[in-house]
Amino acid sequence: MKKLLFLLFIAASLISCDKKHVSENSVLELSCMKLEKPKFVPPVTDGEVEKGVANKTSKVYTKKIIKDGEISICVKDIYEAKKQVDGQLRKFHAYYENESLTNNKTDQSYDLKIRIPSQLFEKFIGNLENGTGDVTKKSITARDVTDEYIDVEARLKNKKLYLEKYTELLSKAGNIKDILALQEKIRLIQEEIESKEGRLKYLNDQINYSTLDLTLFIDTDKTPTAVESNSFLYRLKSALTGGWKAFVSAIIGLINLWPFIIILVGLIMIFRRYRKRKRAKAKESETQTSL
């Protein structure tokens, strides 16, 4: 009986020790888990992913705007007005692409095509409007060519990549047929590259320099007022102008009649020779009669 109780006591002691060991291990594991808890990482949204991809793959373009304008100004003296425009061109680093002068009885005008740095375009036009003369016509247009510019630039980039690939293949080609085919392909790609580069050059020129068609003219149909027409200076000017115009018209009229003048001079010379010969014959007959 004593032996049985002793065995039961030993069994109970072993069981309690195992439970205590298990509980201590559990506490230790839980504490380790708390220490090794991972840091919180916020989720990435779709917008942030698209933004990151866009930053790596896309190129930011500024607006590509082509500005053109047309303006007509009525002035009193087109030559003086032209000098003022020349000064504005030097001030704004602009230049004439084309200029033509018309000066006749019915029209006195300067037709000027001006290229101006685009960032100074509006300021240049403002100076013209504040200058001498009256603005009779004004038209400004702005064209957005950003899409075309991006498209041409992307196509040009792709063509250059194709050119590199075909050039690499050409260096590895082993027969004449492949070499000729690759050379023809390279030639076509080079032509397309030159075309795209020319288009980009044209677009850059139009974007960087705006075009203005400027017309300076005198209104020749403008009639003077009653006070101006009765003034001595106006009447003297009109008389001198009218006399000079009449003289020029007479000279031009005589020049137009030059064939008739030559014929008339020829007839007069023939008539004089005829009279001279007739008088000579008359004298000879009188001399013979007197003898």
Side-chain angles (χ1 to χ4, degrees), residues 40-232:
F40 174 75
V41 179
V44 180
T45 63
D46 293 339
E48 290 175 342
V49 173
E50 293 177 358
K51 184 178 179 181
V53 173
N55 289 335
K56 292 181 180 179
T57 59
S58 65
K59 180 179 179 181
V60 178
Y61 283 87
T62 58
K63 284 288 185 180
K64 306 295 183 181
I65 307 296
I66 297 178
K67 297 179 183 179
D68 299 313
E70 181 181 357
I71 186 169
S72 299
I73 302 177
C74 181
V75 298
K76 295 181 179 179
D77 188 339
I78 58 173
Y79 301 104
E80 183 62 29
K82 173 66 164 49
K83 290 181 181 179
Q84 294 182 8
V85 175
D86 293 342
Q88 293 294 325
L89 259 65
R90 290 189 294 270
K91 179 179 178 181
F92 286 89
H93 307 288
Y95 66 93
Y96 291 119
E97 185 175 81
N98 184 33
E99 59 178 300
S100 61
L101 170 65
T102 302
N103 189 8
N104 52 48
K105 294 180 180 179
T106 59
D107 187 13
Q108 289 183 332
S109 63
Y110 260 113
D111 293 319
L112 309 170
K113 183 180 286 293
I114 304 173
R115 302 300 307 281
I116 310 143
S118 57
Q119 66 271 20
L120 303 175
F121 184 61
E122 288 81 4
K123 191 174 181 180
F124 181 86
I125 292 178
N127 282 15
L128 288 179
E129 292 176 333
N130 295 328
T132 58
D134 300 323
V135 177
T136 61
K137 182 181 180 181
K138 178 182 176 182
S139 176
I140 306 296
T141 59
R143 293 179 289 138
D144 188 349
V145 295
T146 308
D147 293 339
E148 180 185 0
Y149 192 94
I150 295 173
D151 180 68
V152 173
E153 193 174 55
R155 290 176 184 271
L156 176 61
K157 183 179 179 180
N158 291 334
K159 294 297 179 183
K160 288 183 177 180
L161 291 175
Y162 279 121
L163 181 61
E164 292 179 2
K165 295 295 183 182
Y166 279 110
T167 303
E168 183 180 352
L169 290 175
L170 180 62
S171 64
K172 299 178 181 179
N175 57 69
I176 300 298
K177 182 178 179 181
D178 293 340
I179 291 174
L180 293 176
L182 289 171
Q183 286 179 343
E184 179 64 17
K185 198 72 177 178
I186 289 173
R187 183 186 66 82
L188 294 175
I189 294 175
Q190 286 175 338
E191 290 181 355
E192 292 178 358
I193 288 175
E194 291 175 359
S195 176
K196 300 300 180 186
E197 288 177 342
R199 183 60 182 173
L200 274 182
K201 183 178 179 181
Y202 171 78
L203 288 175
N204 282 322
D205 178 69
Q206 295 295 312
I207 292 167
N208 295 330
Y209 276 83
S210 300
T211 303
L212 177 66
D213 292 320
L214 172 63
T215 301
L216 305 173
F217 70 96
I218 296 176
D219 190 359
T220 55
D221 297 332
K222 186 177 180 180
T223 57
T225 61
V227 176
E228 291 176 341
S229 61
N230 291 327
S231 65
F232 173 76

Side-chain angles (χ1 to χ4, degrees), residues 217-278:
F217 70 96
I218 296 176
D219 190 359
T220 55
D221 297 332
K222 186 177 180 180
T223 57
T225 61
V227 176
E228 291 176 341
S229 61
N230 291 327
S231 65
F232 173 76
L233 292 177
Y234 179 80
R235 294 171 64 184
L236 178 62
K237 181 180 178 181
S238 299
L240 292 174
T241 304
W244 175 252
K245 288 181 179 179
F247 174 74
V248 173
S249 299
I251 297 297
I252 294 175
L254 291 175
I255 293 173
N256 290 331
L257 296 175
W258 68 268
F260 302 99
I261 294 174
I262 291 175
I263 294 173
L264 180 60
V265 171
L267 291 175
I268 291 174
M269 291 177 66
I270 293 172
F271 179 72
R272 286 182 176 179
R273 288 182 181 180
Y274 172 76
R275 288 185 62 183
K276 187 176 181 180
R277 290 178 182 178
K278 188 175 181 180

